[in-house]
């Protein structure tokens, strides 16, 4: 079974530029998550989708971050404009359903460096 | 204070040693997860616990709900066990996965 795919794996941009990340979840997984992991910290949930609807985006900085999952499969996360503090690994995860008993499967992450 | 605390933050062991990583949490939870993250790699789920103990190969995870504490044990450690081990709990006020900051384990040959 193919895992969660993410691209690009690495991205270096200058502050105030825009960047987009792509995630393809495991086939059949209805729930998709985007996490931000700053060096030395645990992942922080940015947004959670159930199919193509947003379940939780309470920690998404909506003035600069946006995410979509238009057809309920692939998802993109965009940062516009980027700040230095956005340097982090952006992890995508998916699960069959919502809730604590649904195992989340993580992608390899995208490491973003903002200069 | 973080809702999920792990100790130690860094751990160096010799190959073959028995390793224990601890996790304490301050919120009500419905499940606790242990995850493994290799450098430059993604996160892999090791265990999900809501009570008692689970074993998989050389890994053992225990949880004490009353004491709000969990431990991850690695028996006969090997250099390939070197990774960051993350404790995450499902619960709290927001009922979402809350992650600890991780324990960086280095097993030397």
């Amino acid at each position: 079974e193919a895992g969660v795919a993410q691209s690009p794996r690495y991205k270096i941009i200058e502050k105030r530029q825009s960047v987009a990340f792509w995630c393809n979840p495991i086939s059949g997984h209805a729930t998709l998550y985007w996490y931000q992991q700053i060096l030395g910290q645990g992942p922080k949930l940015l947004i959670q989708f159930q199919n193509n609807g947003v379940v939780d985006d309470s920690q998404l900085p909506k003035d600069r971050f946006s995410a979509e999952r238009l057809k309920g499969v692939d998802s993109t996360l965009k940062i516009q404009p980027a700040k230095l503090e956005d340097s982090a690994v952006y992890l995508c995860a998916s699960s069959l359903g919502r809730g604590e008993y649904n195992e989340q499967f993580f992608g390899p992450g995208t490491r973003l460096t903002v200069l | 204070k973080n809702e999920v605390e792990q100790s130690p933050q860094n751990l160096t062991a010799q190959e073959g040693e028995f390793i224990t990583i601890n996790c304490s949490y301050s919120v009500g939870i419905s499940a606790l997860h242990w995850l493994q993250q290799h450098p430059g790699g993604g996160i892999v789920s090791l265990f999900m616990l809501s009570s008692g103990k689970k074993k998989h190969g050389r890994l053992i995870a225990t949880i004490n709900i009353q004491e709000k504490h969990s431990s991850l044990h690695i028996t006969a450690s090997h250099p390939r066990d070197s990774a960051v081990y993350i404790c995450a709990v499902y619960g709290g006020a927001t009922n979402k996965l809350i992650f600890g900051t991780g324990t960086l384990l280095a097993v030397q040959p």
Side-chain angles (χ1 to χ4, degrees):
Chain A
E1 178 182 88
V4 176
Q6 288 188 249
S7 68
R9 291 294 311 275
Y10 304 92
K11 188 73 177 179
I12 301 174
I13 61 172
E14 294 190 350
K15 60 183 179 183
R16 291 188 289 273
Q17 285 187 322
S18 301
V19 65
F21 311 128
W22 173 82
C23 173
N24 180 238
I26 292 174
S27 177
H29 280 196
T31 311
L32 185 146
Y33 314 79
W34 281 104
Y35 290 94
Q36 180 192 58
Q37 186 177 23
I38 292 172
L39 187 65
Q41 300 180 18
K44 180 185 83 171
L45 179 68
L46 292 176
I47 189 166
Q48 178 182 344
F49 291 95
Q50 181 70 14
N51 296 309
N52 60 351
V54 175
V55 172
D56 184 349
D57 63 357
S58 56
Q59 297 194 90
L60 187 74
K62 298 180 186 63
D63 57 334
R64 298 183 301 106
F65 286 64
S66 64
E68 59 183 16
R69 194 185 184 200
L70 291 176
K71 296 182 180 179
V73 181
D74 292 8
S75 176
T76 55
L77 176 69
K78 295 179 183 177
I79 308 175
Q80 182 180 6
K83 293 185 175 181
L84 296 176
E85 59 261 36
D86 298 332
S87 294
V89 175
Y90 291 85
L91 295 162
C92 179
S94 69
S95 61
L96 270 174
R98 295 166 59 184
E100 61 268 42
Y101 302 115
N102 284 275
E103 181 181 359
Q104 293 187 26
F105 294 83
F106 288 81
T110 296
R111 183 176 297 276
L112 173 68
T113 302
V114 182
L115 302 176
Chain B
K1 191 177 187 299
N2 293 333
E3 293 169 300
V4 181
E5 296 275 358
Q6 288 185 234
S7 64
Q9 286 189 306
N10 295 281
L11 179 58
T12 300
Q14 294 297 313
E15 184 173 357
E17 285 185 0
F18 180 85
I19 289 164
T20 296
I21 299 171
N22 296 299
C23 174
S24 296
Y25 52 91
S26 57
V27 296
I29 71 167
S30 51
L32 182 145
H33 298 254
W34 280 103
L35 310 160
Q36 181 191 57
Q37 185 172 33
H38 281 280
I43 294 174
V44 174
S45 178
L46 299 174
F47 293 103
M48 188 197 71
L49 295 162
S50 53
S51 65
K53 174 180 172 179
K54 286 190 176 180
K55 184 175 188 294
H56 185 252
R58 295 180 294 105
L59 302 177
I60 302 167
T62 63
I63 187 169
N64 185 319
I65 297 293
Q66 287 74 29
E67 294 185 3
K68 296 189 173 180
H69 181 270
S70 175
S71 293
L72 176 69
H73 305 287
I74 305 175
T75 62
S77 60
H78 190 276
R80 64 175 174 267
D81 297 326
S82 298
V84 175
Y85 291 84
I86 302 172
C87 171
V89 301
Y90 204 103
T94 54
N95 200 34
K96 65 178 74 168
L97 208 52
I98 306 167
F99 294 81
T101 54
T103 294
L104 176 59
L105 170 66
V107 181
Q108 297 178 342

